[in-house]
Amino acid sequence: MNKLQFQNLLILGLALLLGVLAFFQYKWVGQISEAEKERMQKRLDVDAQNFAEDFNRIVQNAYFTFQANSENWNENFLEHYILWQQKSQYPQLIKEFNLIKSNNEIARFDEKTKQFNPISANYNFIDLQNHFEPIDEKELTLTMPIYDQSTRLPGIRQRITEMETHSEIPAPMIQMPNIIAFLQIKLDEDVIKNEILPDLTKKYFPEGDYKLSVYSRNQNVGLFQTEKLDNPDASVPIFELLPDNLAYFVNKDLMTTLNNSKGTGQFVLNRRFESRISNIPQNSTGTLKIQILGGNNNRNFEKNAFSSNSQWALNIQHKNGSLEQFVGSSRRKNLLLSFGILGLLGGSIGLIFLSARRAQVLAQRQLDFVSSVSHEFRTPIAVIYSAGENLADGVAREGTQVSRYGNLIKGEGKKLSAMVEQILEFAGARSGHKKYDFRETNIKNIIESAINDCAPLIAEKQFEVETELQENLPSIQADKNSLSHAIQNLIINGIKYSNGNNWLKISAKNGDGTIKVVVEDRGIGIGKKDLKQIFSPFYRAKDVVDAQIHGNGLGLSLVKQTVEAHHGKIEVESEIGKGSKFSIQLPVHSGQ
């Protein structure tokens, strides 16, 4: 196995390895994305639930704080009102208090006088009692019954059944007292919209990755929203009193007056009990049972305490449209990044391979260049040496012979000097040390100078040179000597590769702000596969090498470097057996 085959196998193996890595990368990123989606969904559900519970807890505080017994009700209410103003995080949440008595009298609390003053309003106590609901989401109103406590009450027995948890405390029969009034607590919508809900949004969704809204389910009325959303990732009920069926019985001051019958024990529904009930998960399938037992008058109250009857819902949607879209977008970005890295790695390997191949090709060209230059140098040196030796040995004594030998030495020396200058010019251009003397000049003079310098070669090879130089060509900024040498190179190439067709045409014309100089021949032409490389240093076409046409592969490379240094460009059109046409385009002097 040679070195090239080994390199090809190595590249193939690396490509297969990258393919395997890409497959596993795609699979792993997909698994990570699914896990991330599940994690984010769980966290969103928990945050949404906590958001709703915090909001409900604020509403519950407004409800339970004002529970009071009917005896000295005004004094108890004022104590609770002062406590609310001092301890509540949002004291302005409650907009007004209305007291609806059994005789249909309505009174409203005045903050200034700290009194309930009669008002004219349309309420029916019996209807309110028959259709009692502790919370009205539409009106943002909490309604609390006030019981007659003139009757002495025995204890109660309660039993909570929630999954596998049972607790029983025996107590005698209880008869619930009559409702003598209702206290309506009206909440301030602006405080909810502009303070409570924004504060909870900052607390649970501080990064701003989600859009939130609180909407009425039935009426599609918006209470609050950060941005418009259509397909929520999570939706939980909000604006609830939990557990709602305890609102009929939980009155701390009332229950603490229950008789403590000897030996029977008594269970007091207090804040601790309320907290215990409220902390049971809302998604539980358990039921809440309250049994009031006594003789043949047992009464049972049973309800799924944790099913939501709320008409308001908290909807949450990711800003990218949905969690699935966000995770999908993140997955695509991760895949793009991963495949980009793999692509970069593969590209780097390919570039290293191409660079190595290019270095090999360039090294081979340099070897060919050294070989050809050695041959090019050896021929004139041998001629000069031979002619000099003949002169020294007296072989040529006649004036005519001496003159012929002298001209031979001069001509070969000139060739040798031209080759050395060409190599030095190439080295200077490649190193960046080449300096150009740009001056305003006429392109016609440069072309005529190049033709004159090539006149001996043109005459020797008996070439017909046709010129077509447009009159009054504008001047250009150019280094006269460098540009003249570039055109000379094209003329010499046309003569060298003429293949017996001794014709050249040199033309120059103005157009579109550029001057176009064309050197055209009818020589051997250039193959399509060689056209892209003929301006590369040291490159010589295989057909030229096989034809043993001498050269070093630097001429066209120097022409291209010179033209580009003049802010121009060079193009070539060629066909095998029909000749070549080199076109140089140079910008017109801006002062024209």
Side-chain angles (χ1 to χ4, degrees), residues 65-68 76-85 253:
T65 295
F66 292 95
Q67 289 181 342
N76 291 334
F77 175 84
L78 287 177
E79 291 178 3
H80 294 173
Y81 179 78
I82 294 172
L83 178 65
W84 168 263
Q85 293 291 324
D253 297 315

Side-chain angles (χ1 to χ4, degrees), residues 55 90-96 137-140 186-199 222-225 239 312:
F55 180 84
Y90 301 98
Q92 302 303 317
L93 171 61
I94 298 178
K95 187 175 183 180
E96 64 182 44
E137 294 96 337
K138 181 180 178 181
E139 300 295 334
L140 299 180
K186 294 206 172 193
L187 306 181
D188 193 322
E189 181 177 344
D190 290 337
V191 174
I192 295 175
K193 291 170 59 175
N194 301 325
E195 295 185 35
I196 299 177
L197 292 175
D199 287 350
L223 180 65
F224 168 80
Q225 75 174 16
F239 215 140
W312 291 91

Side-chain angles (χ1 to χ4, degrees), residues 371-399:
S371 176
S372 63
V373 165
S374 298
H375 180 75
E376 294 289 331
F377 278 179
R378 189 179 295 113
T379 299
I381 290 175
V383 172
I384 292 171
Y385 178 79
S386 177
E389 187 177 34
N390 288 339
L391 287 174
D393 292 343
V395 174
R397 293 183 178 182
E398 296 181 1

Side-chain angles (χ1 to χ4, degrees), residues 3 94 142 152 160 291 352 367 381-382 419 425 437 478 512 533 548:
K3 187 175 181 180
I94 298 178
L142 307 176
R152 303 291 295 176
I160 299 175
Q291 291 184 334
I352 291 173
L367 290 175
I381 290 175
M419 285 189 289
E425 184 180 359
D437 183 16
D512 298 330
Q533 303 186 66
Q548 295 185 350

Side-chain angles (χ1 to χ4, degrees), residues 136-319:
D136 184 347
E137 294 96 337
K138 181 180 178 181
E139 300 295 334
L140 299 180
T141 301
L142 307 176
T143 303
M144 181 167 29
I146 301 174
Y147 295 96
D148 180 7
Q149 296 188 22
S150 60
T151 307
R152 303 291 295 176
L153 298 175
I156 68 170
R157 174 181 179 180
Q158 64 85 30
R159 179 170 66 204
I160 299 175
T161 302
E162 198 279 320
M163 291 188 289
E164 299 300 328
T165 302
H166 298 273
S167 175
E168 294 188 9
I169 301 177
M173 173 67 181
I174 180 173
Q175 293 291 336
M176 293 305 298
N178 295 325
I179 299 175
I180 62 172
F182 287 99
L183 177 65
Q184 279 192 342
I185 305 173
K186 294 206 172 193
L187 306 181
D188 193 322
E189 181 177 344
D190 290 337
V191 174
I192 295 175
K193 291 170 59 175
N194 301 325
E195 295 185 35
I196 299 177
L197 292 175
D199 287 350
L200 292 176
T201 300
K202 292 178 182 178
K203 178 179 178 181
Y204 289 105
F205 305 99
E207 298 85 0
D209 294 333
Y210 292 93
K211 300 183 287 186
L212 285 80
S213 71
V214 177
Y215 263 76
S216 168
R217 292 175 174 176
N218 294 335
Q219 300 179 357
N220 198 29
V221 177
L223 180 65
F224 168 80
Q225 75 174 16
T226 57
E227 294 181 42
K228 186 177 180 180
L229 54 87
D230 47 18
N231 187 23
D233 295 302
S235 182
V236 294
I238 195 172
F239 215 140
E240 299 177 298
L241 291 178
L242 298 175
D244 53 4
N245 57 334
L246 286 183
Y248 297 94
F249 309 108
V250 179
N251 186 310
K252 179 180 64 174
D253 297 315
L254 171 64
M255 292 305 176
T256 53
T257 64
L258 297 179
N259 285 337
N260 186 7
S261 301
K262 184 176 181 180
T264 61
Q266 176 182 335
F267 182 78
V268 178
L269 294 177
N270 54 24
R271 299 281 179 161
R272 183 177 179 183
F273 174 72
E274 294 165 17
S275 176
R276 174 186 170 192
I277 298 300
S278 297
N279 287 333
I280 297 175
Q282 291 192 37
N283 293 330
S284 170
T285 58
T287 58
L288 177 68
K289 295 181 181 180
I290 298 181
Q291 291 184 334
I292 303 178
L293 307 176
N296 296 322
N297 297 320
N298 296 348
R299 299 181 63 191
N300 296 286
F301 298 87
E302 179 175 340
K303 185 179 180 183
N304 184 350
F306 311 107
S307 63
S308 172
N309 293 319
S310 174
Q311 298 303 313
W312 291 91
L314 169 65
N315 299 318
I316 306 173
Q317 180 181 355
H318 199 278
K319 283 195 170 182

